[in-house]
Amino acid sequence: MLTDGQVPFRTACESVGAAVLVHVAGEIDFTTVPGLAERLGEAVRSVTPPAPVVADLSGVRFLGAQGIGLLLDHQDLCLRRGSALVVVANTAAVLRPLQALELMSVLGVRSSVLDALTPA
């Protein structure tokens, strides 16, 4: 139940230099994964490798198993194209499951969009 005017899920996409930034807010679960898959797919197709696709999950309140699987699938798609998926996460709702599954380095997790856009 949403009590403070929050929408259950929304995405927005923008180009930042050569990178493509996908902002995600709300909950990532089995009902919202199709929408996120479509948005990430668009980002993967539009980025020019080796620039990354940055998934900004700082507005995510819940990250379910299907969402994690989706991130891994799109990381694989990016890698096959010569790019990478970089995840921005700074909330317990996203960090806990990624840490528990030891996916922090696999998904290149960064604490801010600025960190994600700064070359290592």
Side-chain angles (χ1 to χ4, degrees):
M1 184 168 129
L2 303 174
T3 58
D4 58 2
Q6 295 176 327
V7 294
F9 176 77
R10 71 177 180 277
T11 63
C13 196
E14 67 178 303
S15 293
V16 180
V20 177
L21 178 58
V22 179
H23 300 279
V24 185
E27 299 179 356
I28 302 175
D29 60 20
F30 74 98
T31 62
T32 59
V33 159
L36 181 56
E38 184 176 324
R39 183 66 76 164
L40 285 175
E42 291 168 3
V44 170
R45 288 187 296 277
S46 66
V47 74
T48 302
V53 171
V54 177
D56 177 11
L57 306 186
S58 58
V60 171
R61 297 184 312 273
F62 175 80
L63 177 61
Q66 287 184 329
I68 294 169
L70 178 73
L71 293 172
L72 292 169
D73 289 346
H74 281 80
Q75 172 67 298
D76 187 52
L77 289 172
C78 284
L79 292 173
R80 283 190 268 147
R81 290 180 39 105
S83 187
L85 176 72
V86 179
V87 173
V88 174
N90 52 24
T91 63
V94 176
L95 291 171
R96 276 192 200 127
L98 296 181
Q99 289 167 338
L101 295 169
E102 299 181 356
L103 294 174
M104 298 291 287
S105 63
V106 171
L107 291 172
V109 175
R110 302 290 185 269
S111 60
S112 72
V113 170
L114 182 59
D115 287 347
L117 293 172
T118 303

